[in-house]
């Protein structure tokens, strides 16, 4: 087996995949092995999704344990599962053993349960126990993204002593950004950044240079909160402790970047009414399967709009021209609601609304709602009068626009907050279901006002 | 002046702000100074947006240069500008001089031009030149987010030699994650991670342990590409070189996290049709100002929908019941278009579509479009026949739904790609303007089919 040793070169996945495909088809002995030995394992991982299942398997077989680990970590779960399934258990145990524990646990979690047990049995006891512990935590929690691979030392060890310890043991580089100081019960009492360690005198004990009682989280802390803390305080890594304050592991900054990318994708996917899988898969069927449920739910919601219009068929027959402004009212109520819900969803994600009451969140939006509703109401009234050729229609359209935008804006900030408080992902509030319900509400306002005003004007 | 020395404690900004407000109002000498000395500067920064201008100024005056720098870095530009304006130039020069160069340059860029010059004149020549150079780069480029504070050493220096050099000089901790190796022309030839440095033997020269020709970018490289590279290859920092390969600085991982948060906010803001400022400001007027232009643009676009319906007023008068499905068609065409545009926008942001042709992107969506259009078309046809009480209306609604969803899905993937190629932010394609144009198009399809089928059915 040859290990890819190439350095990162900003190659595109398509480019790497094309070269691999050509080498595989050439049937020249060693051509594929020679080629991939020149690539960085991450470049190979990124090319995997562009390759056929057969080419993937051929490439994966040529990688050593370390490179295989990187590839398994980087590819989508769909591809990872295929590769894991095709690899024999002895080799798999070797690959997983070579991975940082948090990454290894992610890989093991993709295996069927009986295979998980057999693999763990082939791994040295200490590490197998570690993996089993990591597997217990929920994927979206601090415990699920932390690594147990941390450097911990007692407070009386010297800076020089820790550096020598690091040299002797085989720790992953990501674990080296911060050394944790623990007491004899392994309770976390301090932290020393690698910078402080290098700047310290050789004989200084850790307790003289450590930051006391560093910020820590519990394994069940949500990953969004972990990201907020690491981002806010620019931490190189965030320790995870159990209920007794004992150090379990740490979340490192590279994991935080992954979570940020994943959460950004998920939030956008919710707004769009699909799932992150839609983005990652190349299968049209999987794409469609991710989208159809949301579309059917919002189709059902849109029948409410149809029902509202049917209910006002008398009004509509009296003035068919009013139909022309149906899409104007629904679009604007939807757009203003989406503005307000998106801002609220993002504020929640950034932790800006912690400790703020529901009332205060909505109240802040009242002046905003009044300003934009007035501007749009006036413009719509003018346009309505002109397009429909009657000032009384302008009055109806303008008043309905004003009310619909006020309602859209205020509900847009209220709904995500309520969702977040009852444990539903607030991003769903910007999604198609809520938006389509908003349509029906705005039509109720529009035709309610139209029916009322037409009666007044014609009496 | 007292420097806040408290450790990070996951306090909420509201909590810190309330304590500061109480201390400021108590008028007890030293109460405020005593309080803030217990907080981490970042906690003070986060509390700033909850405080009145007066309290902000009182707090800021009590901070030393280092803490002031952190606060200026973390608060929104709006507040930063106010604080900078109120601080005298001598003190400001001291604060900016104490900041890492990239952060200092950001602060200076917020000052009016004449003040920029006076401040730079008060800062030691070397650093002033550095700041002036950083100020030249566009804010969204590698040059705009890099720090010039990097450790660079020739290839024959030993590991021990570099560590001693680091101890002697006062580098910011973020710059220590990676040491860069340069030749006598300061051209970048290698990189050594801090982990490799610690693991090396004291007398090993850097050239023996360095990674050769590390991945680097130019100052004008877009920050999104920088983020993609750091994320893809898990780099602790990414070097920036000029056209001759000479090392200018590096983008560190903490800056990458900031960019990720900022880009996620911006992308969501575009989808919602507002700006990131809307999120950060507490002023209702600024919120409204961010939202109104988008609403007016989409209001104008929605008049197109009204015009389409007016153009088909003959068809509508012939069958007023068709009005009931106007919001159903627009909602579903909009929802399916948004799914497809959001997935495409995110794929572009993650660099997944590099080197893929426009045709290939759209072609991939064809089977997805056909599946979801068929499912929704059949359901809509059934519902149309039932709700409107006539199978021929079901046929109209179902056919229109099928066509509108196909068009929405395909345009949803095409438009962001086209935007991206002509240099417009693709996220705008998921925004209200494009969505509202989509409404008009789907109505044209709906009424076009209705007019055609009604003629055929009634002849």
């Amino acid at each position: 087996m040859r290990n890819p040793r190439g350095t990162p070169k900003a190659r595109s996945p398509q480019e790497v995949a094309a070269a691999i495909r050509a080498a595989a088809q050439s049937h020249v002995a060693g051509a594929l092995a020679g080629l991939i030995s020149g690539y960085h394992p991450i470049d190979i991982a990124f090319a995997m999704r562009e390759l056929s299942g057969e080419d993937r398997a051929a490439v994966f077989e040529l990688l050593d344990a370390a490179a295989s680990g990187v590839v398994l970590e980087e590819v989508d779960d769909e591809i990872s599962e295929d590769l894991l399934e095709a690899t024999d258990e002895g080799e798999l145990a070797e690959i997983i053993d070579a991975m940082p524990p948090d990454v290894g646990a992610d890989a093991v979690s993709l295996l069927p349960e009986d295979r998980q047990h057999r693999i763990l049995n082939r791994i040295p006891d200490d590490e197998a126990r570690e993996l089993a512990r990591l597997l217990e935590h929920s994927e979206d929690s601090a415990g699920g993204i932390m690594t147990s691979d941390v450097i911990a030392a007692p407070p009386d060890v010297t800076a020089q002593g820790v550096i020598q310890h690091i040299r002797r043991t085989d720790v992953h580089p990501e674990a080296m950004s911060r050394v944790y100081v623990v007491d004899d019960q392994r309770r976390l009492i301090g932290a020393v950044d690698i910078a402080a360690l290098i700047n310290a005198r050789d004989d200084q004990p850790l307790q003289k240079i450590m930051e006391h009682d560093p910020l820590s989280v519990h394994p069940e802390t949500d990953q969004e909160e972990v990201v907020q803390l690491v981002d806010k305080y620019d931490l190189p890594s965030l320790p995870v402790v159990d209920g007794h304050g004992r150090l379990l592991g740490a979340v490192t900054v590279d994991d935080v970047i992954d979570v940020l990318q994943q959460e950004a994708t998920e939030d956008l996917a919710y707004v769009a009414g699909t799932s992150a899988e839609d983005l990652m898969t190349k299968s049209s069927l999987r794409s469609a399967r991710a989208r159809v449920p949301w579309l059917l739910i919002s189709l059902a919601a849109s029948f409410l709009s149809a029902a509202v219009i049917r209910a006002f068929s008398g009004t509509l027959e009296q003035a068919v021209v009013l139909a022309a402004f149906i899409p104007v009212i629904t679009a604007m109520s939807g757009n203003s609601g989406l503005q307000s819900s998106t801002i609220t969803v993002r504020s929640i994600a950034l932790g800006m609304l912690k400790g703020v009451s529901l009332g205060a969140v909505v109240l802040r939006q009242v002046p905003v709602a009044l300003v934009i509703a007035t501007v749009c109401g006036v413009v719509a009234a003018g346009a309505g009068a002109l397009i429909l050729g009657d000032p009384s229609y302008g009055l109806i359209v303008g008043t309905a626009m004003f009310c619909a935008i006020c309602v859209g804006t205020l509900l847009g900030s209220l709904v995500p907050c309520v969702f977040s408080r009852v444990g539903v992902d607030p991003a769903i509030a910007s999604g198609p279901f809520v938006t389509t319900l908003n349509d029906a509400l705005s039509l109720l306002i529009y035709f309610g006002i139209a029916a009322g005003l037409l009666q007044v004007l014609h009496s």
Side-chain angles (χ1 to χ4, degrees), chain A residues 415-438:
Chain A
V415 176
C417 292
V418 171
F419 277 14
S420 155
R421 259 151 239 222
V422 300
V424 175
D425 192 319
I428 292 174
S430 298
F433 178 63
V434 175
T435 311
T436 310
L437 278 185
N438 201 20

Side-chain angles (χ1 to χ4, degrees), chain A residues 158-194:
Chain A
T158 62
Q160 182 64 13
V162 172
I163 290 180
Q164 253 144 29
H165 165 76
I166 295 175
R167 285 188 188 166
R168 272 196 309 270
T169 53
D170 186 28
V171 291
H172 291 272
E174 60 181 40
M176 288 181 48
S177 53
R178 223 174 171 201
V179 170
Y180 291 105
V181 185
V182 294
D183 66 12
D184 50 7
Q185 308 282 312
R186 208 181 156 82
R187 280 183 302 231
L188 179 69
I189 56 173
V192 182
D193 284 2
I194 192 80

Side-chain angles (χ1 to χ4, degrees), chain A residues 153-163 179-182 189-193 196-212:
Chain A
D156 52 351
V157 170
T158 62
Q160 182 64 13
V162 172
I163 290 180
V179 170
Y180 291 105
V181 185
V182 294
I189 56 173
V192 182
D193 284 2
L197 200 61
I198 287 189
N199 283 325
R201 281 200 329 271
D202 286 352
D203 60 349
Q204 267 186 316
L206 294 183
Q207 58 197 342
K208 292 278 179 200
I209 52 172
M210 75 185 187
E211 172 194 331
H212 290 266

Side-chain angles (χ1 to χ4, degrees), chain A residues 45-395:
Chain A
F46 272 62
M48 282 297 206
R49 63 195 303 273
E50 306 295 326
L51 293 173
S52 68
E54 205 183 327
D55 285 346
R56 265 179 215 154
V59 169
F60 194 69
E61 242 174 56
L62 289 167
L63 303 176
D64 69 9
S68 303
V70 173
V71 169
L72 285 177
E73 178 184 359
E74 294 292 332
V75 296
D76 314 327
D77 287 357
E78 206 179 318
I79 298 175
S80 206
E81 276 170 30
D82 286 353
L83 294 175
L84 288 168
E85 209 185 302
T87 309
D88 83 73
E89 283 171 12
E91 214 172 313
L92 208 50
E94 203 185 311
I95 294 171
I96 287 168
D97 194 22
M99 289 171 153
D102 55 331
V103 182
D106 288 345
V108 173
S109 73
L110 295 176
L111 298 169
E113 204 145 325
D114 53 327
R115 221 163 164 227
Q116 287 191 5
H117 289 297
R118 288 200 301 275
I119 296 285
L120 289 182
N121 280 336
R122 284 171 177 265
I123 290 178
D125 271 7
D126 268 17
E127 276 141 69
R129 256 200 307 276
E130 205 55 64
L131 284 176
R133 236 197 313 268
L134 289 174
L135 279 169
E136 281 167 22
H137 301 298
S138 136
E139 243 186 276
D140 298 340
S141 68
I145 54 173
M146 76 177 182
T147 178
S148 51
D149 192 17
V150 291
I151 304 166
D156 52 351
V157 170
T158 62
Q160 182 64 13
V162 172
I163 290 180
Q164 253 144 29
H165 165 76
I166 295 175
R167 285 188 188 166
R168 272 196 309 270
T169 53
D170 186 28
V171 291
H172 291 272
E174 60 181 40
M176 288 181 48
S177 53
R178 223 174 171 201
V179 170
Y180 291 105
V181 185
V182 294
D183 66 12
D184 50 7
Q185 308 282 312
R186 208 181 156 82
R187 280 183 302 231
L188 179 69
I189 56 173
V192 182
D193 284 2
I194 192 80
L197 200 61
I198 287 189
N199 283 325
R201 281 200 329 271
D202 286 352
D203 60 349
Q204 267 186 316
L206 294 183
Q207 58 197 342
K208 292 278 179 200
I209 52 172
M210 75 185 187
E211 172 194 331
H212 290 266
D213 295 326
L215 187 67
S216 63
V217 292
H218 292 293
E220 63 276 12
T221 305
D222 189 86
Q223 63 177 8
E224 280 205 43
E225 200 180 324
V226 171
V227 167
Q228 281 168 22
L229 290 173
V230 170
D231 178 28
K232 183 172 174 183
Y233 296 110
D234 276 348
L235 303 171
S237 89
L238 179 64
V240 182
V241 300
D242 68 12
H244 303 285
R246 282 186 301 242
L247 184 67
L248 299 173
V251 178
T252 50
V253 79
D254 54 315
D255 296 320
V256 165
I257 291 182
D258 290 344
V259 171
L260 271 174
Q261 293 280 39
Q262 179 199 332
E263 299 264 349
T265 300
E266 272 177 15
D267 281 0
L268 269 176
Y270 274 132
V271 174
T274 182
S275 71
E277 206 201 347
D278 188 3
L279 178 71
M280 291 307 168
T281 186
K282 284 193 81 174
S283 143
S284 304
L285 210 68
R286 280 181 194 239
S287 264
R289 210 159 55 197
R291 296 185 198 180
V292 164
W294 288 102
L295 286 180
L296 288 180
I297 290 173
S298 57
L299 183 56
S302 75
F303 292 150
L304 258 181
S305 299
V308 169
I309 297 177
R310 288 289 282 165
F312 283 97
S313 56
T315 309
L316 198 54
E317 266 159 28
Q318 205 180 332
V320 179
V321 285
L322 286 177
F325 273 74
I326 291 176
V328 178
I329 297 284
T330 56
M332 296 309 291
S333 148
N335 288 337
S336 60
L338 190 58
Q339 286 179 332
S340 154
S341 65
T342 307
I343 289 295
T344 309
V345 166
R346 192 70 190 142
S347 303
I348 294 173
L350 293 175
M352 290 163 64
L353 294 183
K354 258 185 211 154
V356 183
S357 75
L358 270 188
V361 173
V362 178
L363 220 62
R364 271 191 199 174
Q365 294 287 326
V366 170
V368 186
L370 290 177
V371 171
I372 62 184
T374 305
V375 173
C376 294
V378 169
V379 175
L386 271 174
I387 296 178
L388 304 182
D390 183 336
S392 62
Y393 290 140
L395 185 63

